[in-house]
Every structure is written in C-alpha cells, then in structure tokens.
Amino acid sequence: MSSLVERRLVSAAMISLIVLTLLGAAVSTPVDDRIVGGYDCKAHSQPWQASLNIGYHFCGGSLINDQWIVSAAHCWMNPWSQLAILGDNHIWQHEGTEQYMSVDAIYWHQSYNYQTLDHDIMLLKLAHPVTVNEFVRPVALPTACPNAGDMCVVSGWGNIYTDSVFNPFYLQCADVPILSNTDCESSYPGQITDTMVCAGYQEGGIDSCQGDSGGPLVCNGQLHGIVSWGYGCAQPNYPGVYTKVCSLLPWIHEILTSY
C-alpha cells in the first residue's frame, strides 16, 4: 500500500444493527488501526483498555493509574467533547462493567510531529479517578525497553480486514513479537525514530489496523507500545509501528507529577 496511514478511526456511522463502518484518517502521513488476524480477547482480560468515544469509538487508550490514560497524539480531540470508557468488552452492548469517565485535560508531547508521527503520545487526565476492580485496572509502565523477539498482545476494536472495513463488536487481541531495529528500519527506511518500535510479522497477516490507534501493546505485563502507524494493515514487509513507551518515560512521569 503506497499511503502511510495513522491507525485511527475518525468517523463512524452505524448503518445497521450488525455493521459499524469506521473510516480511517487518510493523510499523507502514517495510518493503521485495527486488529487483523487476531481473536476475541478473553472478556476483560485487558482491563486497562480504554475506548475514546465522541458518540462512537474513535481511538483506544491504556489506563496507567487511577486517573490517567495514555494514547496516541494523533488521536487528539477536544477533551470536553469525549468520554473515556473503561471496563468494556462488547462495544455496543451495556454489560454493567463499564465506567464512563469525563476527560478533564489532555497533554500531548511538545515534540509531536503530525507528519512523521514522531513522539506520537498524549496523556488524558480523567475528571475523577476510576474505581479499580477486576474489570478496570491500570497496566504497568515498562521498567526497561523491550527486546527483539519478546511476545506482546495488541488489543482494540479496529478494523479486522486488510482490504475492506468491518469493525468487531468484541475487543480483539493479537499476539505479535517485537522486531529488531534493523528489521524495522528495513521496512520503513529513514522513517523510524528513537520513539518508535515495530511489532508484527514480516510475512504479514497479523497486525493492528484502523480504529486501534492509541491502544496498548503489552509485553510481559508492561505497556511497551502505543498503536501508531504503518503502511496498510497486515501487509507483508510492513509491520505495525508503535510509539516506544520506554523512550518517553521521563516525559510521562513529568506530566503525571506536574498535573
């Protein structure tokens, strides 16, 4: 696929009770957003997963403490126009486990570049702390950077097809390995910065996609990636590119302690 695409859902319309069509943001920069080649997550097995919602799901996020969510900067929307939904599994069914949280403020990285998606990270402060329970629980931040070959889980409600659009009702998961910097660079020459990491398979077939943007890549119980961009979804030689959380820990801690 020739266009670089953010993995973000920017527009949606429920055209029937069965199909929700979400449109990816087609820009001249990276785009990718949904789980292709994945599986239904075990219900509530990703209790840090957030849905950012403006009347419909448009991006994912990860709860990192009882009042803060981390997501991708390219998912920014006016904080007062959105809700963060936690404890969700079926995106359109009320299950009694959800917590609907107003967003008080959003802080994106001062070095974020919307053209290259360098420093593609933002923090959302919730108006009130969540109630931590078996359905809603923060994910740990990393204590070190991941190693090539580490197996991780990416999750989201994004598109599940490489060549058409269908967004699932149930939260999707996919198991993907961290790739080496060499393999990542060979797929995207000159486009990978110190704040990016690749995960997936060079042969394609399993990947995040449109609608998964901002969601978690969790390895060994720690948040190592934020769904950011890629060429298409699950295409051979084009693995998913994630914001590298370990490289941004000083900024994360600075925001958490300052606000």
Side-chain angles (χ1 to χ4, degrees):
M1 186 173 291
S2 60
S3 63
L4 191 59
V5 180
E6 301 163 349
R7 301 191 171 185
R8 169 184 172 187
L9 287 174
V10 293
S11 175
M14 189 160 67
I15 59 176
S16 72
L17 294 179
I18 299 174
V19 178
L20 171 69
T21 300
L22 296 175
L23 303 179
V27 295
S28 61
T29 54
V31 179
D32 250 40
D33 309 72
R34 174 231 105 166
I35 304 296
V36 175
Y39 53 90
D40 288 357
C41 302
K42 181 181 177 182
H44 308 294
S45 62
Q46 315 299 310
W48 42 80
Q49 176 80 48
S51 169
L52 304 185
N53 189 291
I54 52 172
Y56 53 83
H57 167 84
F58 71 93
C59 268
S62 303
L63 186 71
I64 56 171
N65 66 31
D66 66 358
Q67 202 169 354
W68 288 87
I69 288 170
V70 65
S71 186
H74 78 259
C75 287
W76 187 91
M77 291 275 188
N78 187 317
W80 298 286
S81 69
Q82 65 181 285
L83 287 175
I85 304 175
L86 294 135
D88 220 347
N89 182 42
H90 190 296
I91 196 71
W92 286 109
Q93 188 176 84
H94 182 71
E95 299 164 285
T97 57
E98 300 91 347
Q99 295 183 39
Y100 301 91
M101 310 299 296
S102 298
V103 177
D104 185 60
I106 295 177
Y107 305 90
W108 65 6
H109 199 286
Q110 63 272 18
S111 297
Y112 168 60
N113 186 316
Y114 73 93
Q115 294 180 311
T116 65
L117 294 190
D118 192 20
H119 293 84
D120 189 15
I121 188 172
M122 68 178 180
L123 285 166
L124 298 86
K125 186 175 184 180
L126 304 178
H128 304 284
V130 302
T131 299
V132 175
N133 56 32
E134 62 181 304
F135 307 111
V136 176
R137 177 166 50 85
V139 63
L141 291 173
T143 54
C145 290
N147 297 309
D150 286 352
M151 287 302 299
C152 310
V153 176
V154 58
S155 55
W157 285 278
N159 184 25
I160 58 175
Y161 296 131
T162 59
D163 54 1
S164 59
V165 178
F166 184 85
N167 293 88
F169 292 141
Y170 291 99
L171 184 66
Q172 298 292 294
C173 287
D175 303 319
V176 291
I178 296 291
L179 298 180
S180 69
N181 290 338
T182 300
D183 287 341
C184 192
E185 273 284 351
S186 69
S187 295
Y188 302 104
Q191 295 172 282
I192 302 302
T193 71
D194 291 340
T195 70
M196 300 175 189
V197 63
C198 287
Y201 298 91
Q202 295 290 20
E203 61 268 30
I206 301 176
D207 197 6
S208 56
C209 194
Q210 281 76 19
D212 292 322
S213 276
L217 178 74
V218 176
C219 320
N220 301 314
Q222 297 180 345
L223 181 68
H224 279 286
I226 300 166
V227 178
S228 185
W229 64 274
Y231 280 112
C233 304
Q235 299 295 317
N237 301 314
Y238 292 115
V241 184
Y242 298 79
T243 305
K244 190 176 182 181
V245 176
C246 67
S247 68
L248 294 162
L249 285 175
W251 178 81
I252 292 172
H253 291 306
E254 178 186 357
I255 297 298
L256 295 184
T257 55
S258 298
Y259 301 98

